[in-house]
């Protein structure tokens, strides 16, 4: 779809903006992207779930993230969802959209985390607005596949 | 209660919202990073330029618009690009007598859908990225143009208006080291 191209380019610009110059550390830049993702996700999920019913439980919310949210944002579903039933969820995406144009294999592996930070924030923002406080991290060993780990904070 | 799958009509609308919200988060971050709104305007224009330089390729491949033979042609294609990427059809008008300057008028601005400008940001040209995109895209098809906002709904105007001025045609450069 045409609007996807412009969203992809905007995301690329956001990434290259936070990493420009050498004054800023990698961590700080990633934190900024994560924050942008959080703000986006927090608002987006409010628009998306306007007409949907109540969620049964935490797992139901995670399924929503894997299916509806992912389809809306990345045009595909998460390929695999795993959980230890103690608040840790791992989402596998075998062909993550922001990485799919970069490489197949290990080339540019060191730059991959930059393109995942926004999405980590996006997921965290969505969950925050649905009442789940969590930490989201991403891991990539082979482009364009990656996995997101969601650790729910209880207490 | 079970939720239905995503309906296609909705998902299209939502993807526009995703873009709007992401852009909003980016502008908010820029305002935090720079003290001066003029710097934010400049940075947004630069980002738009970078997007435009790439977006033109997508546009040429997708819409296959062919070459522009005059500026009216260009204006039509800019209109077509707005339709394709933002889902709106702006009107083109206010040509100057020389025929090298025109306006793109947006009745609604999808970039600014959920936006309210606070008092201290009155100098901010919120959608300035659009001006950059137009400049970058035109440059890749050998046209140097200037694009700037002359009216903005966020500042109380009735419409959002982008003014575009043709500067010069860029000639193909001879690659370095060749005669």
């Amino acid at each position: 779809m045409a609007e996807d191209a412009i969203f992809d380019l905007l995301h690329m610009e956001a990434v290259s903006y936070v990493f420009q110059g050498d004054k800023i550390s990698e961590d700080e830049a990633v934190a900024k992207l994560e924050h942008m993702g959080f703000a986006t996700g927090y608002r987006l999920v409010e628009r998306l779930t306007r007409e949907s019913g109540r969620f049964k439980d935490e797992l139901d919310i995670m399924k929503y993230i894997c299916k509806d949210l992912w389809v809306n944002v990345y045009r595909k579903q998460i390929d695999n969802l795993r959980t230890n039933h103690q608040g840790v969820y791992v989402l596998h995406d075998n062909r993550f959209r922001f990485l799919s144009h970069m490489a197949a294999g290990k080339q540019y592996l060191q730059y991959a985390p930059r393109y995942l930070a926004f999405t980590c924030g996006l997921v965290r923002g969505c969950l925050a607005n649905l009442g789940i406080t969590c930490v989201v991290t991403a891991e990539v060993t082979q482009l364009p596949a990656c996995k997101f780990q969601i650790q729910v904070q209880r207490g | 209660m079970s939720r239905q799958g995503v309906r296609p009509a909705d998902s299209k609308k939502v993807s526009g919202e995703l873009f709007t919200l992401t852009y909003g988060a980016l502008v908010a971050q820029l305002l935090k990073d720079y003290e001066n709104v003029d710097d934010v305007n400049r940075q947004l224009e630069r980002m738009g330029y970078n997007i435009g330089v790439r977006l033109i390729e997508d546009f040429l491949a997708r819409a296959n618009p062919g070459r522009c033979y005059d500026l009216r042609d260009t204006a039509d294609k800019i209109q077509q690009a707005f339709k394709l990427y933002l889902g709106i059809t702006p009107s083109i008008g206010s040509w100057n007598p020389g025929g090298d300057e025109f306006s793109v008028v947006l009745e609604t601005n999808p970039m600014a859908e959920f936006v309210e400008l606070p008092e201290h940001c009155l100098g901010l040209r919120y959608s300035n990225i659009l001006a950059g995109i137009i400049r970058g895209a035109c440059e890749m098809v050998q046209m140097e143009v200037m694009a700037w906002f002359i009216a903005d709904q966020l500042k109380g105007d009735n419409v959002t208006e982008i003014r575009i001025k043709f500067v010069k045609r860029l000639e193909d450069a001879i690659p370095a080291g060749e005669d």
Side-chain angles (χ1 to χ4, degrees):
Chain A
M1 244 188 280
E3 311 88 26
D4 289 355
I6 194 162
F7 173 66
D8 283 358
L9 288 171
L10 184 72
H11 175 258
M12 276 159 63
E13 274 311 306
V15 173
S16 76
Y17 159 69
V18 300
F19 281 98
Q20 73 183 0
D22 31 37
K23 297 186 292 286
I24 191 165
S25 73
E26 180 97 11
D27 286 351
E28 217 175 316
V30 165
K32 275 187 191 176
L33 275 177
E34 215 261 2
H35 182 77
M36 280 185 237
F38 182 85
T40 307
Y42 198 89
R43 294 175 172 94
L44 183 70
V45 80
E46 221 162 68
R47 313 280 305 166
L48 288 179
T49 53
R50 234 173 340 173
E51 279 152 37
S52 63
R54 224 167 216 298
F55 294 106
K56 282 202 297 289
D57 52 14
E58 198 175 276
L59 187 64
D60 200 29
I61 293 178
M62 293 302 166
K63 282 185 188 157
Y64 175 80
I65 298 282
C66 294
K67 289 186 181 153
D68 300 42
L69 178 80
W70 227 258
V71 168
N72 269 302
V73 178
Y74 300 111
R75 306 275 166 247
K76 72 187 282 293
Q77 293 189 6
I78 277 285
D79 295 299
N80 191 338
L81 166 67
R82 283 181 194 188
T83 173
N84 66 353
H85 297 289
Q86 284 165 7
V88 177
Y89 299 83
V90 181
L91 282 58
H92 290 260
D93 190 333
N94 296 332
R95 195 181 160 73
F96 185 56
R97 188 164 115 204
F98 291 153
L99 302 178
S100 62
H101 298 302
M102 282 169 74
K106 294 204 188 296
Q107 198 186 9
Y108 302 127
L109 191 61
Q110 77 265 40
Y111 300 114
R114 298 180 174 189
Y115 293 89
L116 300 172
F118 178 85
T119 303
C120 289
L122 188 85
V123 173
R124 192 168 68 87
C126 287
L127 290 172
N129 204 349
L130 297 173
I132 298 179
T133 314
C134 60
V135 176
V136 183
T137 50
E139 200 184 307
V140 52
T141 46
Q142 185 105 346
L143 278 75
C146 67
K147 57 183 181 196
F148 296 93
Q149 181 168 330
I150 301 171
Q151 175 119 42
V152 178
Q153 320 240 278
R154 300 218 168 85
Chain B
M1 234 198 276
S2 73
R3 278 171 306 284
Q4 301 300 305
V6 193
R7 281 156 300 175
D10 262 355
S11 96
K12 185 148 186 169
K13 188 160 171 290
V14 162
S15 83
E17 289 177 354
L18 171 71
F19 177 70
T20 307
L21 292 170
T22 308
Y23 183 66
L26 179 66
V27 176
Q29 183 65 45
L30 288 169
L31 282 169
K32 219 185 286 173
D33 290 351
Y34 294 101
E35 310 225 311
N36 191 335
V37 286
D38 291 333
D39 291 338
V40 176
N41 291 337
R42 207 161 323 151
Q43 180 66 40
L44 283 173
E45 213 269 348
R46 186 177 329 150
M47 291 172 136
Y49 174 83
N50 293 341
I51 292 177
V53 163
R54 294 180 171 131
L55 193 66
I56 186 72
E57 300 208 8
D58 186 78
F59 178 63
L60 294 178
R62 207 186 286 269
N64 196 15
R67 223 163 225 295
C68 301
Y69 291 99
D70 59 14
L71 201 62
R72 282 178 195 269
D73 226 2
T74 311
D76 286 345
K77 278 158 194 174
I78 289 175
Q79 191 178 32
Q80 195 187 347
F82 267 96
K83 174 106 192 67
L84 186 63
Y85 291 107
L86 292 178
I88 49 166
T89 311
S91 50
I92 304 285
S94 313
W95 287 87
N96 71 339
D100 64 347
E101 219 181 292
F102 63 95
S103 288
V104 176
V105 181
L106 313 176
E107 297 284 330
T108 54
N109 182 0
M111 313 282 289
E113 206 176 332
F114 311 110
V115 182
E116 233 176 82
L117 280 191
E119 285 288 316
H120 66 276
C121 292
L122 288 179
L124 178 72
R125 290 197 289 277
Y126 185 82
S127 313
N128 215 22
I129 202 161
L130 290 178
I133 292 178
I134 292 171
R135 184 171 71 88
C138 287
E139 193 169 312
M140 287 297 115
V141 288
Q142 277 112 34
M143 288 173 59
E144 189 176 324
V145 301
M146 290 198 297
W148 68 96
F149 280 82
I150 57 172
D152 191 341
Q153 278 159 327
L154 286 177
K155 293 176 187 159
D157 297 317
N158 282 332
V159 290
T160 299
E161 185 168 350
I162 311 171
R163 194 82 184 147
I164 296 173
K165 181 179 169 57
F166 176 76
V167 180
K168 66 168 189 231
R169 181 158 283 281
L170 300 166
E171 297 300 328
D172 279 338
I174 300 164
E178 272 176 50
D179 288 309

